[in-house]
Amino acid sequence: MSLELINYRPGVKEAPAAQAGTPSGASARPYIDIAKKEWYTPLLYLLCMAALGLHFYPILVFFPIFWLKAWKNDRYALIFQLTIFFGGYGLTDPTTTMKPWPSDIALGLSCLLWVVYRKTPLLRKTFFFILLYIAALFVLASFSLESMRIQIYTMRNYFGILYIIVPVACFAGHDFDIREFFRRLMPYVFIILFFYISDGFILPGNIFLPATHIWGDNVSSTFYSLYHLPLGSMMRKYPPGFYFVILAALPAIRYYRLRPWQWVVFIVALMATRTFTIITGFIFFWIFFQGSTLRTIKYIILSMVLGVGVYILDSYLPMTRDELTVTSSLRIKSSVDQFFELSEAVDDEDIAEFGSGRMAQILPKVDLMIDEGRTLTGLGFLHPQKTKITRYIITNDYYSDITQSEEVATAVEVIPVQIFINIGWIGLFIHCLFFLILYLCIRRLPYSAYYLSIAFLMSWFGLGGFVGLIGAQGLFVLSVAYAAIIMNARSKQ
């Protein structure tokens, strides 16, 4: 079968709302109804992924069967299944479950497809800008004292946008309907949400989402030794599964309607994360991506009322206290209170406590950049374990745990600052410009807001150190959205 994409015609303007998939009101949006048989394959696949995340490696033999069946019968499922496998998304750990990393396999596959795939003008333009972006990263990395051999370990995480070609190749020779894509996505999304509810509240532990974070030394969850809490407990589930869930965010508020039980599933699963950045990201997304000014104003008012109500509720729930911090049950009150405490900060130590200690990570590394005069090009893509340059191994006096105070001056849990440390002001500007240019390439196509919605949420999550647009998990999802837009436009010509 020839890997050929029908030519996209540059300059074609976006269709009117009804044609472009932007209905004028809620009545024009259908409910998301999923037939019983459509749950079986997604559920079985995600259970296999969970088993792999629990280090039950015999399950690997079943994945090629899933993919071959999907290649033959369901190309939409093939996109979802490959993306989930390569990214992990809380089901598997992308860096420890397998060697080589699945994300590296995806990167190799992407490079191969970009070489052999017959590209249309739009794809060629996209590929050109990706190559310019990667070249710019190498140029900026060349200013670092660290060797390129070490830097490539970290730098390759920025290359995940190459994955755009994989969904496109999955639909070679087949028509693509983005509405069908949205509908077929929903079983995978809701099953992941059910997994969050189960692991967070029903069977608290790392069972269905075994690759979410667990606090403590030498704590893991495996197939023969499951990590779980007593019944009646609540466990905070870290949010990598929601990096994939956001593929359904814009469809759920703009092109479809959710039934009450579906809203309950989403909200309860979101509460299982107890992560301020994730929760507020979805709130702001829900407000500003409605596609209607009137609805946006209405939801701003509603969100303010509900936000105050949740803050008050969290104030009356039990608090968790340790030597340094007080954390509210829902982590809403404690997160908001940090901003009030910041305004009262009197020295660097007070500032260092902001953002759950994230500023403690940032301050000495930025100070080092300033001292070395490297704010324009950054320190380079230093590696937390492989970098051995003495001047870049610092003692961080802001950490309360002195056993963790010696570290390489690189990793921080705020993605824009991480980019700044890696490649400086110039690199941060190039990074933002690159993703803007990708949007400009598709801005005239129907559903181009889909790309913006993913970019917005990933960038917002990045403020809390969660993936952003410099990690494979985030870039794979953004690539799928970008590819869906151009495949839909191709099939409608």
Side-chain angles (χ1 to χ4, degrees), residues 161 243 246-247 249-250 281 285 289 415-416 431-432 434-440 442 447-463 466-470 473-482 485:
I161 196 64
Y243 308 159
I246 66 173
L247 281 169
L250 192 72
F285 172 84
F289 278 83
I415 297 302
H431 176 83
C432 297
F434 168 67
F435 289 101
L436 174 61
I437 288 173
L438 286 189
Y439 171 69
L440 294 177
I442 59 171
Y447 299 93
S448 60
Y450 191 39
Y451 170 88
L452 283 181
S453 71
I454 304 298
F456 168 79
L457 279 169
M458 284 299 180
S459 299
W460 186 270
F461 293 172
L463 296 178
F466 298 105
V467 78
L469 295 176
I470 63 170
Q473 291 179 313
L475 291 171
F476 289 170
V477 168
L478 186 68
S479 297
V480 169
Y482 189 94
I485 294 164

Side-chain angles (χ1 to χ4, degrees), residues 42 57 59-60 99 118 147 199 208 221 256 270 273 294 304 311 313 392 399 420 437-439 455 465 474 483 486:
Y57 292 107
I59 204 72
L60 279 168
K99 300 293 182 183
R118 194 163 138 191
S147 69
D199 273 11
F208 293 107
S221 192
Y256 293 93
L270 187 61
T273 70
L294 184 61
M304 292 173 64
Y311 179 88
L313 172 64
Y392 289 156
Y399 289 161
F420 172 65
I437 288 173
L438 286 189
Y439 171 69
I486 62 174

Side-chain angles (χ1 to χ4, degrees), residues 86-369:
F86 291 141
Y89 301 106
L91 297 154
T92 61
D93 189 307
T95 64
T96 63
T97 300
M98 288 178 56
K99 300 293 182 183
W101 293 0
S103 58
D104 286 342
I105 298 173
L107 184 59
L109 175 62
S110 301
C111 292
L112 176 64
L113 288 173
W114 279 112
V115 172
V116 304
Y117 195 88
R118 194 163 138 191
K119 296 176 283 294
T120 61
L122 179 55
L123 279 176
R124 284 199 297 270
K125 182 190 298 184
T126 298
F127 189 42
F128 171 74
F129 286 121
I130 293 174
L131 291 180
L132 278 183
Y133 174 64
I134 292 175
L137 296 180
F138 274 102
V139 170
L140 290 166
S142 69
F143 288 95
S144 174
L145 298 180
E146 184 59 276
S147 69
M148 198 65 71
R149 180 179 62 85
I150 297 297
Q151 291 191 73
I152 196 67
Y153 284 102
T154 301
M155 195 193 310
R156 76 189 196 276
N157 294 318
Y158 284 64
F159 301 165
I161 196 64
L162 286 165
Y163 190 72
I164 287 170
I165 196 65
V166 174
V168 174
C170 285
F171 264 84
H174 288 69
D175 286 337
F176 179 91
D177 186 326
I178 201 167
R179 288 302 188 94
E180 183 66 10
F181 170 85
F182 292 152
R183 196 184 68 80
R184 301 295 292 276
L185 169 69
M186 294 304 172
Y188 291 89
V189 166
F190 277 105
I191 291 169
I192 290 174
L193 295 177
F194 280 123
F195 284 180
Y196 264 95
I197 294 172
S198 179
D199 273 11
F201 304 111
I202 300 174
L203 297 171
N206 277 12
I207 300 171
F208 293 107
L209 291 163
T212 47
H213 184 75
I214 306 175
W215 287 107
D217 297 329
N218 301 317
V219 176
S220 62
S221 192
T222 66
F223 191 78
Y224 297 106
S225 180
L226 296 175
Y227 177 86
H228 61 87
L229 302 177
L231 292 178
S233 304
M234 289 193 303
M235 181 174 178
R236 182 188 178 190
K237 299 295 295 180
Y238 274 67
F242 277 87
Y243 308 159
F244 184 83
V245 166
I246 66 173
L247 281 169
L250 192 72
I253 67 168
R254 191 175 288 193
Y255 309 125
Y256 293 93
R257 285 186 289 171
L258 297 182
R259 294 190 181 278
W261 72 265
Q262 293 168 329
W263 276 114
V264 170
V265 167
F266 171 74
I267 292 171
V268 175
L270 187 61
M271 289 298 103
T273 70
R274 286 189 280 167
T275 303
F276 184 75
T277 313
I278 304 300
I279 294 171
T280 54
F282 278 106
I283 291 173
F284 287 129
F285 172 84
W286 179 57
I287 292 172
F288 295 110
F289 278 83
Q290 288 290 332
S292 164
T293 302
L294 184 61
R295 286 205 301 271
T296 295
I297 295 172
K298 179 176 71 174
Y299 290 135
I300 287 175
I301 297 171
L302 178 61
S303 297
M304 292 173 64
V305 173
L306 290 176
V308 172
V310 172
Y311 179 88
I312 294 172
L313 172 64
D314 201 20
S315 301
Y316 287 96
L317 294 175
M319 301 284 182
T320 302
R321 302 175 186 272
D322 57 30
E323 294 180 359
L324 296 174
T325 61
V326 177
T327 304
S328 56
S329 294
L330 300 178
R331 302 186 81 249
I332 301 298
K333 180 183 185 302
S334 54
S335 296
V336 172
D337 286 352
Q338 290 184 78
F339 291 93
F340 297 113
E341 293 167 4
L342 181 63
S343 66
E344 300 173 358
V346 296
D347 54 28
D348 285 352
E349 290 188 2
D350 290 337
I351 296 173
E353 295 176 7
F354 179 71
S356 302
R358 287 178 174 86
M359 288 301 295
Q361 300 171 344
I362 292 170
L363 289 174
K365 293 157 192 175
V366 173
D367 286 344
L368 178 61
M369 293 178 66

Side-chain angles (χ1 to χ4, degrees), residues 376-387:
L376 287 180
T377 58
L379 298 177
F381 296 93
L382 307 182
H383 193 278
Q385 288 80 44
K386 297 182 183 297
T387 290

Side-chain angles (χ1 to χ4, degrees), residues 14-31:
E14 184 165 344
Q19 294 175 309
T22 309
S24 57
S27 61
R29 294 181 287 136
Y31 282 108

